[in-house]
Amino acid sequence: MSRHPSRPAVDALTLTPIAITRSCFRDKFGVPRQPGLTRFAHADLIIQSPFDREDAFRGLETASHLWLTFQFHEAVRAEWRPVVRPPRLGGNKKIGVFASRSPFRPNSLGLSVVRNEGLTRDAGGHLVLRIGDHDLIDGTPILDIKPYLPFADSVPEATLGWAESAPTDRLPVVFLDEADQQLAALPADQYPDFRDLIEDVVSYDPRPSFRRGRDEERIYGAHLYDLNVRFRFVHDESQERVEVLTVC
């Protein structure tokens, strides 16, 4: 028998966001299902008081990549469910929530590796940590930031069984004339790598699993930055492709 009485279980934790995300992804539709699936997604983490001190980030400039712990703030539910349907398994097979990367979790916590693009101050004087290769929607609360340690965090021999590698099935993307003209008129500094970002988002087919592969007339829209990208999926005798209609 232990000499020390066990500590009572903690019923609740109070977490204070370190930063709030200002992201190119304005809603859930179109967001990559994992970080790193697009190299063209940029975001600013607006550091919140009392954490907005350069001293708290001293030395972080040497880290190429970071771990972010965050809240799936748009996936919070009153009750959690023990099983989920991962899109990677076609949206039909159920597995346990703790065997998945589903955003619908008991504590709504997420974990992502992102590229470190440096610390700066914005026009309003806010301390900002810029990141890339991310999968965060606008407004995501960041609960912790840690450097990625290559020697400890990379496990090349790791296996999962049902998602061994990154998805490789991508649809060809065609930008119609109107979309091309609208993209050409956008300032590159406000919309960095925008055309490439759009191509990555739509080529992986962000539709729900049950709609993929269908021939449908529906026009979809993804909100990237402050613009609505409208596109459709075309199935004809020549090829299956995505057509980007407008960017406005």
Side-chain angles (χ1 to χ4, degrees):
M1 182 175 179
S2 173
R3 296 181 181 179
H4 305 285
S6 60
R7 293 184 178 181
V10 178
D11 293 327
L13 294 174
T14 300
L15 300 176
T16 303
I18 292 169
I20 301 298
T21 306
R22 187 163 60 203
S23 173
C24 58
F25 301 117
R26 294 304 169 93
D27 53 35
K28 291 182 288 186
F29 183 66
V31 178
R33 291 188 169 92
Q34 300 296 337
L37 287 183
T38 175
R39 295 179 294 110
F40 307 107
H42 302 279
D44 289 344
L45 306 184
I46 313 302
I47 310 302
Q48 304 296 291
S49 178
F51 311 109
D52 55 342
R53 300 171 53 179
E54 281 88 347
D55 279 353
F57 299 87
R58 184 186 303 170
L60 198 67
E61 68 276 3
T62 65
S64 65
H65 290 76
L66 309 171
W67 283 111
L68 301 181
T69 304
F70 59 93
Q71 183 191 38
F72 289 109
H73 65 297
E74 291 195 2
V76 177
R77 291 177 172 177
E79 297 182 359
W80 68 281
R81 297 178 181 177
V83 295
V84 296
R85 302 173 186 263
R88 191 69 182 271
L89 294 176
N92 296 315
K93 184 177 179 180
K94 293 182 179 180
I95 66 173
V97 64
F98 299 124
S100 80
R101 301 285 288 263
S102 169
F104 301 104
R105 318 187 68 79
N107 290 307
S108 304
L109 295 182
L111 185 66
S112 286
V113 175
V114 300
R115 189 176 71 249
N116 179 13
E117 295 186 344
L119 200 66
T120 187
R121 293 270 178 184
D122 65 12
H126 302 100
L127 189 62
V128 175
L129 179 62
R130 291 182 170 166
I131 63 170
D133 301 1
H134 71 91
D135 59 345
L136 307 175
I137 66 172
D138 200 57
T140 296
I142 305 300
L143 303 174
D144 202 5
I145 301 168
K146 294 184 178 76
Y148 179 91
L149 300 180
F151 75 89
D153 297 336
S154 177
V155 186
E157 68 272 21
T159 61
L160 178 58
W162 53 270
E164 291 294 340
S165 59
T168 56
D169 294 335
R170 299 181 62 171
L171 297 172
V173 179
V174 177
F175 289 81
L176 300 192
D177 289 344
E178 186 174 2
D180 264 333
Q181 293 169 10
Q182 291 166 334
L183 280 169
L186 294 174
D189 58 334
Q190 294 182 33
Y191 303 92
D193 304 314
F194 197 27
R195 184 188 183 95
D196 294 319
L197 174 63
I198 294 171
E199 186 165 350
D200 277 354
V201 166
V202 302
S203 67
Y204 280 115
D205 194 345
R207 293 178 294 178
S209 299
F210 69 90
R211 287 190 175 275
R212 291 184 176 185
R214 293 188 177 186
D215 187 4
E216 56 181 356
E217 297 294 328
R218 182 172 179 175
I219 294 176
Y220 289 86
H223 290 92
L224 303 177
Y225 293 103
D226 56 347
L227 300 173
N228 184 24
V229 179
R230 297 173 70 248
F231 55 97
R232 66 188 174 199
F233 295 87
V234 178
H235 300 255
D236 59 27
E237 294 180 356
S238 61
Q239 65 174 181
E240 181 181 358
R241 64 186 182 275
V242 189
E243 292 183 345
V244 180
L245 308 176
T246 59
V247 181
C248 58

